[in-house]
Amino acid sequence: MRSEPQRNKQSWWRNGVSRHFRVDNRRHGRPLYLVFGVNWTDADGKKRMATFQAARADEVSWEQELHAANTADAFRSEYEWCRRHGLPF
């Protein structure tokens, strides 16, 4: 695990957590959603990404954004704790 994000990556807040917008092609009008993504590796060594959606980009409040960011941060913290202690995640 890196202590700092790579220069070419767009980590947000901490290493392994990114903030981006995602288009939902299933909905009418293809709305944008604010999403926090967490990169992690499963027990088989496969790279994974968990996403936490805040709200539609045009309707998101700072409380919703903070809640999604804190949830993503808690997920990443738990993952890192398990890795440090040799436990499966």
Side-chain angles (χ1 to χ4, degrees):
M1 292 185 291
R2 292 182 181 88
S3 60
E4 294 181 11
Q6 293 175 314
R7 287 184 196 157
N8 64 332
K9 302 294 182 181
Q10 294 188 359
S11 288
W12 182 86
W13 197 349
R14 67 182 294 171
N15 192 27
V17 179
S18 61
R19 177 184 181 268
H20 58 276
F21 293 96
R22 180 172 58 195
V23 176
D24 189 352
N25 292 319
R26 300 170 300 164
R27 299 193 189 271
H28 180 69
R30 299 180 61 216
L32 278 175
Y33 288 89
L34 176 62
V35 176
F36 288 86
V38 180
N39 296 310
W40 60 287
T41 307
D42 66 8
D44 298 327
K46 186 174 180 182
K47 302 284 185 187
R48 302 252 183 207
M49 179 180 235
T51 57
F52 301 93
Q53 182 173 300
R56 285 179 65 149
D58 56 351
E59 300 172 353
V60 66
S61 67
W62 69 269
E63 292 98 343
Q64 292 169 317
E65 183 173 353
L66 183 63
H67 177 71
N70 285 339
T71 305
D73 184 54
F75 184 94
R76 181 66 187 193
S77 294
E78 184 68 19
Y79 166 70
E80 289 177 359
W81 189 88
C82 288
R83 286 274 312 253
R84 256 185 263 121
H85 292 90
L87 300 171
F89 183 76

